[in-house]
Amino acid sequence: MKSDIILAGVGGQGILSIAATIGMAALENDLQLKQSEVHGMSQRGGAVQSHLRISDKSISSDLIPVGKADLIISVEPMEGLRYLSYLTDDGWLVTNSKPFKNIPDYPEIEKLTGSIDKIENHIILDADKIAHKIKSPRSSNMVMLGAASPFVDLPYKSFEVGIEKIFGRKGEQIVKLNLDALKAGREFAEQSVKTELNN
Amino acid sequence: MEKLLLLGDEAVSQGAIDAGMSGMYAYPGTPSTEIMEYVQRSKTARDRNIHRQWSANEKTAMEASLGMSYAGKRSMVAMKHVGLNVAADVFMNAAVTGVNGGLLVAVADDPSMHSSQNEQDSRYYGRFALVPILEPSNQQEAYDMSYEGMDFSEKYNLPVMIRLTTRLSHSRSGVKTKEIKDEKEISYPADPIQFVLLPSNARKKYKILLDKLTELRKISDDSKYNTYFDGEDKSLGIIACGIGFNYFMENFPDGICPYPVLKIGQYPLPTKMVQEIDGECEKLLVIEEGYPMVEELLRGFLNKEKRILGRLDGTIPRAGELNPNIIAAALGKGNGKTLQVPDIVANRPPQFCSGCSHKDVYEALNETMKLFGSDQRVFSDIGCYTLGALSPYKSIHTCVDMGASITMAKGAADAGVRPAVAVIGDSTFTHSGITGLLDAVNENSQITVIISDNSTVGMTGGQPSSALGKLENICVGIGVDPDHVRVVTPLRKYHEEIVDVLNEEIQYEGVSVVIPSRECIQTLTRKKKKT
Ligand SMILES: Cc1ncc(C[n+]2csc(CCOP(=O)(O)OP(=O)(O)O)c2C)c(N)n1
């Protein structure tokens, strides 16, 4: 088993909480893990990415080679496209549709969705809207993780355990909100894909 | 034994804590910052009361670390690559004095300059100082090297450098820890003049240092961090240093590589092993993160045989960080067809946070400078406020090294430039700005220094600033006329007032300091969340 995942977003959007949760889920299954993060200057509103590699064998590089990522999870519609060259032919792009505009030359949203639609395997969802709907407005990242979870070769239960471990310190209520968000994202993905899913 | 999920930086910290470290010293700097931050969060460090406060700069940090070593206790100092320039004086000389308690110098380089002014390679400093260098290829090695490095340092009576690069510093993986050791008791160096580098003694100590080199080379040949893997195909031998080894092995997913490989994790280079791979193989490819240091050593100036491949002959790009694809290309393996990134994807550079005080400073500064003519230049420095060089502000025109804004403004004023204005951050000012301001005071140079005080070390994530609450007193204390130390509040509503103050002080014929002071929006929000 191996999953090479790229997480994409803008500094401050908290993509590392997604990485940490998947990381916990992987450890839960006794898998090897390498997770490279962006710290420093780009965290000031710049483009950020994280390479997350999980495998049942030992992992060499901390960086995923170009053309080898199985999945890109992007919490912003333009940022996922930035790393397209990393995706394998049959890889998935799971992206939030809500733009984060902090630059003057941000492209028109129709053009972005046009580019996303051209990718064979993709899911696009308004994670912020879904999070609001389930009254968990600050859990859009976990909605994203839920939507991406079918494409990571781990049992759904492990993601739940991951959330319990990562958010446990913050109390039961927060854990529940994030679990709800995970579920809402997962359901969205399952509905929009007719493919056979694991579990 | 425990299994932890740690960044490379954090593995270094945990290794040092478990090795019985009594004190950690550092000045923040990407990608090294997390080394200290981890110690500050560590329960063991708290229980043992391990020293874990930030220092004013890398030089003061390393000196304090050496002082703790003098007292017989184990200590570590951490910094980013350019920080070692600041600490170079003590670093070079500490190699000559040697240590008493174990002393680790953890330095994190930033190839590709993700958050830095340059991509200098700290291994040159290690070589320059003639100290052993450990270069981990993964998080476990980072831990082990730090843990064992303390013993190594004491055994050979030398500071030991641990060299990291961005990717390992900021990548997380599982680390198995070892048994935690007791701290050392206070004990003075047996030789009372060990640390007295008067020429007569320094010559003796330098001789001892040179003699140790032979031994260090031998140890490198026996080190478990230098490993020889044999291979069938002798047309090419690989010498892979640090995480370069991982990028190489990524190209052999089943772990089987046809070529002989020498993996380097400890310097000076292991003489016998290098001779062996050289004797076995027709050509050698050197894979190293940073400058082509090993490659240059092996190839020699005349490069007569042209057998050494790497960054110098173009097999690998001369500059920038390595990755698996660069190594694949160097091995003649294609990287295959990849999906195209659509042209509409725009750059998203880092930028000021909304509500940042530096923005109000630049609004006022731009308006003020216009009063003095159209092509005005402003000297500046390194920090979040450096983003003022970019659009839309374009207010500042230099960013060289910590503290240079004040001294460069002084030099320009000496050359006759009017107005000569410097913009510096509060932490940068106490790091390396004070001495420059003293130079200006002593000559009554006509400069205006704007200390844009957000009361934190913003760029590196909001660490406490050594300058907090001290700026006015420092300036007055070193001789700036108190009437020309002006504090303002950088908020939109005070815009006119700030412009007036700047205008007045720029016209003053002497040293003036304007301190726009308002807390960083990030640290403020964090504090509010906590309460
Ligand atoms: C010698 C050296 N040490 C550390 C750094 C990393 N670094 C860059 S800017 C900065 C701090 C800036 O703090 P401050 O001057 O208060 O400005 P702010 O970022 O808060 O605006 C640091 C630590 C560096 N570039 N050079």
Side-chain angles (χ1 to χ4, degrees), chain A residues 35 39 44 62 79 100, chain B residues 34 171-173 346 348 351:
Chain A
Q35 180 204 327
H39 294 210
R44 302 269 157 283
D62 297 83
E79 290 308 320
F100 187 106
Chain B
E34 294 78 7
S171 173
R172 217 174 272 285
S173 193
R348 199 190 300 256
Q351 45 192 280

Side-chain angles (χ1 to χ4, degrees), chain B residues 27-28 58 358 382 384-385 402 425-428 454 456-459:
Chain B
Y27 181 75
E58 294 84 355
H358 296 316
I382 311 177
C384 288
Y385 53 95
M402 301 276 283
D426 51 311
S427 176
T428 308
N454 58 3
T456 191
V457 194
M459 181 89 272

Side-chain angles (χ1 to χ4, degrees), chain B residues 110-130:
Chain B
D110 190 18
S112 277
M113 304 175 232
H114 298 282
S115 297
S116 305
Q117 313 103 285
N118 73 27
E119 60 172 27
Q120 65 184 61
D121 186 329
S122 299
R123 294 175 304 164
Y124 279 88
Y125 265 117
R127 223 175 102 72
F128 191 13
L130 307 174

Side-chain angles (χ1 to χ4, degrees), chain A residues 8-178:
Chain A
V10 181
Q13 284 192 303
I15 59 166
L16 291 184
S17 68
I18 304 180
T21 311
I22 305 177
M24 274 295 170
L27 288 190
E28 209 24 54
N29 290 278
D30 273 332
L31 295 169
Q32 309 267 347
L33 164 89
K34 278 196 178 178
Q35 180 204 327
S36 107
E37 307 172 355
V38 171
H39 294 210
M41 202 145 175
S42 300
Q43 284 176 301
R44 302 269 157 283
V48 293
Q49 91 219 65
S50 170
H51 289 210
L52 179 61
R53 314 192 75 184
I54 51 188
S55 173
D56 52 10
K57 299 200 193 67
S58 85
I59 302 163
S60 294
S61 167
D62 297 83
L63 292 175
I64 299 168
V66 164
K68 293 281 163 62
D70 305 295
L71 172 64
I72 297 175
I73 307 176
S74 179
V75 298
E76 205 278 346
M78 182 176 76
E79 290 308 320
L81 296 173
R82 194 184 296 287
Y83 308 104
L84 264 194
S85 60
Y86 283 89
L87 205 59
T88 55
D89 290 345
D90 54 356
W92 281 83
L93 169 70
V94 179
T95 181
N96 194 355
S97 62
K98 176 129 184 267
F100 187 106
K101 295 185 188 174
N102 65 348
I103 45 170
D105 52 347
Y106 193 91
E108 287 163 37
I109 188 72
E110 292 74 26
K111 286 194 178 153
L112 286 176
T113 39
S115 294
I116 293 166
D117 285 339
K118 278 193 213 135
I119 298 159
E120 196 168 299
N121 298 324
H122 75 272
I123 289 189
I124 181 163
L125 67 162
D126 190 335
D128 296 74
K129 200 159 134 197
I130 295 177
H132 265 281
K133 208 154 79 191
I134 58 161
K135 305 210 165 48
S136 180
R138 291 172 67 184
S139 306
S140 64
N141 283 353
M142 289 303 119
V143 174
M144 287 307 305
L145 175 58
S149 63
F151 314 110
V152 185
D153 199 0
L154 291 173
Y156 182 69
K157 180 86 193 93
S158 305
F159 293 104
E160 295 180 325
V161 177
I163 285 182
E164 278 157 21
K165 291 206 166 149
I166 296 287
F167 296 97
R169 283 183 295 126
K170 299 187 176 167
E172 254 173 60
Q173 182 59 17
I174 301 282
V175 170
K176 184 173 176 306
L177 287 174
N178 282 290

